[in-house]
Amino acid sequence: MNYPRSLVSRLALLFLLALSVSSCTHYKVFSVKESPTMPLSGGALYALPRTQVVVSVTVERRDLSSAPYSDYAADLLGVDTSAFDTAFHIASIDVAPLCVADPERFFFVNVRHGSVAVDQRHLLLAVGMEPLSSSFASANDKVSSSYQTPSFDPEYNLVDRTDTVYSRYDMPGRPTMTLQRKDVRSLRQRAADVASRIDDIQSRQQDLLESDASYSAEALSIVMNQLRRQEADLVASFCGNVKREVVRFYVDPNPKRNASSCDTVVWFSPSVGFCDNVESLPDDAFPIVCTVQSDNLMNKANRFVRYHTAGITVDSHTGRTGNAAKRSSRRHGFRYRVPEPATVEVSCPLFTVRRHMPVAQLGPIMELPRHRVKALFDPETLQLLQISR
């Protein structure tokens, strides 16, 4: 039977297209939770992102324990240290998102052709494309790169003296090393000497301001700043100094709870500071509360994803169930999350901080289209930035 030449050419074209489509299926994705015994070799392991809310609380307190001459501040400086407020105070509160790997959503990618980029958090950055540079780095890497072994030149004292504080080294060839000389004066005498040095610094500052010498403005500013720092250090030995500390707490918004969920981050007391034992709280303790409120914009997000990726939306936060789960498992496609915008509020009696941020686990789990696909994700928020089929 003779077929028309146009029909033969069309059949040949369709056959070539079928071969090209079949050859583009170059990866398979398996759920680690559903297939825990699968040998993880020759591929890549990635996880869906989970957003933690990082609550940074800055606390200040005047520390009189670092003031050895506080008992003489009233006599020598005219300052009554008993009037100082030594309670803990919350200076500021900051809120920021942090993406981590969801331990319940790990996947193994069997890569046959192409490339898959995963960062050190096991989060997916790109499929078949070069990933964007990420500013994420572990704290251990930063510390190890900046740490340097300290070096010192010891000063040896070969003769032990009664007015020298020393320590002995038991290593061979190391004699006694001098640390500092003893000050045999009384505590009050040392306090009087420090007060006299404060007077000298203040007199020098006044002389510089009234001097007719032709100092440049820059040189005068440098000298005055040095004198002010010296004065502040000496005054701190009488009045103590204000210590500042930043403590970070991590809150995991739970998608299984109500749309507006509250978590007590920590209890804080002006007299004690942060309270670890909730069962025996001081009378002045109050909670620092974190509230996560979904902005309910997922209808718009779902339409955007369906239009741009032809992906399959998931109505459930926990994943597919029943026949939908079986069909999804057979497709072996890449899963990702569309973060849902949320309003995070952290409040206490003196502060209320609100931030708008994307929360990954509040959004749906999506699937990239099968066959030939290239995708690019944001290295910080893990949102889908670009996709091509």
Side-chain angles (χ1 to χ4, degrees):
M1 181 179 295
N2 296 326
Y3 294 98
R5 181 174 299 179
S6 60
L7 178 61
V8 174
S9 61
R10 289 178 182 177
L11 291 175
L13 180 60
L14 290 175
F15 179 72
L16 291 176
L17 286 175
L19 287 179
S20 64
V21 169
S22 62
S23 64
C24 290
T25 307
H26 54 273
Y27 64 83
K28 284 187 177 182
V29 181
F30 302 90
S31 172
V32 175
K33 189 175 182 179
E34 296 174 2
S35 306
T37 59
M38 178 181 298
L40 303 180
S41 60
L45 194 67
Y46 86 95
L48 296 185
R50 184 178 183 88
T51 304
Q52 289 183 334
V53 178
V54 184
V55 181
S56 302
V57 184
T58 303
V59 180
E60 292 181 347
R61 185 196 184 195
R62 181 176 291 275
D63 184 16
L64 287 178
S65 63
S66 61
Y69 312 131
S70 59
D71 294 338
Y72 309 102
D75 296 337
L76 300 177
L77 298 184
V79 178
D80 185 9
T81 56
S82 62
F84 287 163
D85 185 7
T86 58
F88 293 90
H89 297 278
I90 297 179
S92 64
I93 296 178
D94 192 20
V95 181
L98 175 65
C99 282
V100 297
D102 190 341
E104 298 295 325
R105 292 285 184 268
F106 266 87
F107 298 92
F108 174 68
V109 186
N110 185 2
V111 184
R112 298 180 181 178
H113 303 286
S115 62
V116 177
V118 180
D119 66 1
Q120 60 267 44
R121 296 169 291 178
H122 297 289
L123 299 179
L124 185 64
L125 296 181
V127 178
M129 301 177 68
E130 288 294 328
L132 298 175
S133 60
S134 174
S135 60
F136 180 87
S138 64
N140 293 333
D141 294 340
K142 293 181 180 179
V143 172
S144 61
S145 62
S146 61
Y147 178 77
Q148 295 181 354
T149 304
S151 60
F152 58 90
D153 296 325
E155 177 186 353
Y156 296 117
N157 176 27
L158 300 180
V159 181
D160 294 340
R161 297 175 54 180
T162 58
D163 61 346
T164 303
V165 179
Y166 60 88
S167 63
R168 293 186 178 276
Y169 284 79
D170 297 331
M171 296 176 61
R174 284 185 177 271
T176 302
M177 185 179 71
T178 301
L179 294 182
Q180 65 182 19
R181 297 182 66 85
K182 283 184 178 179
D183 194 341
V184 296
R185 297 176 301 172
S186 66
L187 188 63
R188 182 179 179 84
Q189 289 174 332
R190 280 177 274 174
D193 178 65
V194 174
S196 177
R197 290 165 59 189
I198 293 175
D199 291 336
D200 293 341
I201 291 176
Q202 293 175 348
S203 299
R204 187 177 178 187
Q205 289 177 338
Q206 189 66 27
D207 293 341
L208 285 174
L209 293 176
E210 298 175 355
S211 175
D212 296 333
S214 58
Y215 291 108
S216 65
E218 183 179 0
L220 183 61
S221 175
I222 293 175
V223 175
M224 292 296 291
N225 288 335
Q226 291 177 349
L227 292 176
R228 291 191 188 99
R229 284 195 296 268
Q230 294 176 12
E231 180 184 6
D233 292 339
L234 295 176
V235 171
S237 62
F238 286 93
C239 305
N241 53 7
V242 177
K243 292 187 176 180
R244 171 173 290 198
E245 182 181 7
V246 179
V247 183
R248 292 178 176 85
F249 302 93
Y250 298 86
V251 180
D252 283 304
N254 192 343
K256 297 181 182 180
R257 297 169 63 180
N258 297 330
S260 178
S261 58
C262 298
D263 291 282
T264 298
V265 179
V266 68
W267 286 84
F268 183 82
S269 167
S271 59
V272 178
F274 296 107
C275 304
D276 297 329
N277 190 1
V278 182
E279 297 180 356
S280 59
L281 293 172
D283 295 336
D284 58 350
F286 57 84
I288 300 176
V289 179
C290 177
T291 303
V292 180
Q293 174 69 50
S294 172
D295 290 343
N296 297 322
L297 298 177
M298 286 322 303
N299 289 333
K300 181 178 179 181
N302 289 341
R303 288 195 301 269
F304 172 83
V305 173
R306 283 197 298 267
Y307 178 78
H308 288 278
T309 69
I312 302 167
T313 56
V314 183
D315 295 329
S316 172
H317 293 298
T318 59
R320 295 175 173 85
T321 57
N323 294 330
K326 295 179 182 179
R327 289 195 300 269
S328 175
S329 178
R330 287 194 297 265
R331 277 191 289 267
H332 300 297
F334 278 97
R335 277 81 157 183
Y336 69 99
R337 271 175 168 156
V338 179
E340 180 172 351
T343 300
V344 179
E345 177 180 300
V346 178
S347 59
C348 65
L350 298 178
F351 288 92
T352 299
V353 180
R354 291 185 182 89
R355 295 285 187 274
H356 297 280
M357 63 181 65
V359 180
Q361 60 269 30
L362 297 184
I365 299 175
M366 310 290 294
E367 260 189 350
L368 290 177
R370 286 289 292 139
H371 310 304
R372 188 175 184 84
V373 63
K374 294 181 179 180
L376 184 65
F377 297 87
D378 187 282
E380 299 298 333
T381 64
L382 279 305
Q383 298 186 66
L384 181 63
L385 297 179
Q386 181 181 348
I387 185 171
S388 60
R389 301 181 63 180

